[in-house]
Amino acid sequence: MFRKRSYGAVMAGILLVLVLMLMIFGSRLFTDVEEMTQVEKDNRIVVGVSQLGSESGFRTANTESVQNAFTKENGYFLVYNNARQRQENQLKAIRSFISQRVDYIIFSPVVETGWDTVLQEAKEAEIPVILMDRSVDVEDESLYVTCVGSNFEEEGEKAGHWLEQELRKRGDAQESVNIVVLAGTEGSSSQLGRTVGFDSVAREHANWNILEQKCAEFTSTKGKEVMRGFLNKYPSIDVVVSQNDDMTFGAIEAIRESGRTVGVDGDIMIISFDAVEGALEMVAEGTINVDIECNPNQGEYLLRVIDMLEAGESVEKQYYVEEDVFTMENVTQEVLDERSY
Ligand code: GZL
Ligand code: ZN
């Protein structure tokens, strides 16, 4: 009995000491972190960034460029959230930035619509909102300060004009051309713009048949799945327009598994978007015929915009990043070596 009681008493004593220690250090720990964070936040510009996901090589590079820009050395405190492709996660993140009273909110809207209310809340909280990569379709454009991204319609037109030139070069300009399109996330600026841009050129050519456009979510898995469906459905496909390199990688796998070939000397021409390093290597070897660049390095542009806002200067409503078009002719070893994404 005695032994049992003393064992129990010892355990209770240890437990009590542990609880006391946790209360002292635990609270100090939380206080320290909170105080430290608060102190740090006080003299650094606090930026809340809602990134839409991590679905592609482009997105990874885009995130890196933001994290490399908003550093402590540059005088920033970055609060970062990955919404994993879900708009409701972005809405939650933006509302949490508002309640944390960040100095700026930056986000890449996964789709163009559904932002009016939350941006109105940010406006009432007097927190400037900057769009990155993609844009929003809102009634009141004053709900965001500026958009740093790409001209997606122009990217789509570039793809169409490349196909025009290529068919002319091959002497096929009048032949009927069967085209399938792997589209990105439905309702995203990149999907909408690239589709409108390419279609604006395609309608100039009665001999271009766009057999089908289907969403493959900007991912390689879906790209392979949708392409496999196209190959089973359409016996003769001449061109694949794939709205990002990740879907292209999946599509090329499906085409090769079907026994057909791709690229410069292949059965099926590949037109892709983004121009990430892995894809440029495929352009250099002739597997991808052309890659329309979509530049993810927006961190520097965003830094400059915030510097201007901090200095009380006015900023443009839209900044387009520099972008190129890559074919075998201009993908040199030097281009590949210096590629940061
Ligand atoms: C384009 C960007 C697109 C990329 C895809 O700026 O929105 O989203 O083209 C990414 O790789 O998923
Ligand atoms: Zn044209």
Side-chain angles (χ1 to χ4, degrees):
M1 188 53 184
F2 173 72
R3 224 192 328 279
K4 247 177 124 182
R5 200 172 52 243
S6 66
Y7 177 71
V10 166
M11 282 312 291
I14 291 171
L15 207 61
L16 185 65
V17 167
L18 272 177
V19 167
L20 279 173
M21 276 173 66
L22 194 68
M23 280 166 67
I24 296 162
F25 291 112
S27 61
R28 259 175 52 74
L29 188 68
F30 285 119
T31 314
D32 283 359
V33 167
E34 270 162 13
E35 273 170 10
M36 180 189 76
T37 314
Q38 200 44 52
V39 163
E40 284 202 341
K41 276 184 178 178
D42 287 352
N43 54 40
R44 285 155 67 185
I45 300 174
V46 183
V47 178
V49 173
S50 164
Q51 177 58 287
L52 65 85
S54 41
E55 74 289 350
S56 67
F58 167 96
R59 190 63 52 204
T60 307
N62 182 244
T63 297
E64 274 166 18
S65 91
V66 167
Q67 289 172 333
N68 294 340
F70 297 110
T71 59
K72 182 173 180 180
E73 297 67 45
N74 287 342
Y76 286 88
F77 187 95
L78 173 62
V79 185
Y80 173 83
N81 176 272
N82 175 344
R84 295 188 304 285
Q85 301 290 328
R86 302 172 71 85
Q87 180 170 35
E88 63 266 25
N89 290 345
Q90 288 201 283
L91 294 169
K92 264 188 231 145
I94 293 169
R95 289 196 166 100
S96 94
F97 296 154
I98 292 170
S99 61
Q100 291 178 61
R101 303 217 44 70
V102 299
D103 297 308
Y104 292 90
I105 291 172
I106 298 177
F107 77 111
S108 58
V110 61
V111 291
E112 290 208 337
T113 55
W115 305 101
D116 300 75
T117 307
V118 77
L119 294 185
Q120 187 55 41
E121 291 165 24
K123 185 173 183 178
E124 280 152 21
E126 295 174 354
I127 300 175
V129 173
I130 295 167
L131 305 179
M132 162 179 80
D133 171 27
R134 303 180 186 176
S135 192
V136 295
D137 176 6
V138 287
E139 288 296 310
D140 170 7
E141 292 231 321
S142 76
L143 290 177
Y144 66 92
V145 174
T146 183
C147 175
V148 174
S150 302
N151 185 334
F152 299 114
E153 218 168 297
E154 187 184 87
E155 290 178 358
E157 286 163 9
K158 286 178 182 175
H161 290 149
W162 176 85
L163 186 56
E164 281 175 334
Q165 287 154 18
E166 182 61 20
L167 293 172
R168 227 175 271 132
K169 250 195 270 175
R170 294 181 177 207
D172 292 358
Q174 301 318 319
E175 304 289 312
S176 88
V177 185
N178 290 331
I179 301 165
V180 291
V181 179
L182 295 170
T185 303
E186 207 129 0
S188 64
S189 311
S190 15
Q191 177 269 315
L192 293 167
R194 288 169 186 162
T195 301
V196 165
F198 184 78
D199 287 356
S200 70
V201 178
R203 80 165 71 95
E204 292 166 15
H205 302 276
N207 58 315
W208 292 15
N209 316 308
I210 298 183
L211 302 172
E212 190 172 344
Q213 311 215 33
K214 192 163 181 189
C215 177
E217 292 301 342
F218 282 135
T219 67
S220 47
T221 314
K222 284 294 280 182
K224 182 169 187 176
E225 183 191 308
V226 172
M227 189 67 223
R228 201 180 277 142
F230 285 155
L231 290 161
N232 295 335
K233 196 169 171 183
Y234 304 106
S236 125
I237 296 172
D238 303 304
V239 182
V240 175
V241 177
S242 170
Q243 291 184 353
N244 92 324
D245 291 331
D246 297 77
M247 295 189 291
T248 300
F249 299 147
I252 289 171
E253 267 181 43
I255 294 170
R256 285 177 165 159
E257 284 171 9
S258 77
R260 276 171 269 193
T261 56
V262 293
V264 172
D265 305 321
D267 308 323
I268 300 179
M269 278 191 260
I270 305 291
I271 299 177
S272 192
F273 292 79
D274 280 355
V276 296
E277 190 173 5
L280 288 190
E281 282 156 9
M282 294 172 111
V283 171
E285 67 192 25
T287 304
I288 294 175
N289 294 73
V290 62
D291 210 330
I292 315 296
E293 183 178 31
C294 183
N295 182 350
N297 288 334
Q298 294 158 359
E300 286 309 313
Y301 289 77
L302 292 162
L303 260 187
R304 267 210 307 278
V305 162
I306 291 184
D307 283 348
M308 288 165 72
L309 292 170
E310 285 290 296
E313 293 166 30
S314 63
V315 295
E316 305 287 324
K317 200 67 188 172
Q318 172 77 54
Y319 290 94
Y320 289 129
V321 292
E322 297 293 311
E323 299 181 334
D324 209 332
V325 174
F326 290 101
T327 61
M328 266 182 122
E329 284 70 42
N330 65 343
V331 176
T332 59
Q333 192 51 49
E334 189 199 342
V335 164
L336 289 171
D337 292 345
E338 70 187 15
R339 199 83 183 149
S340 67
Y341 62 95

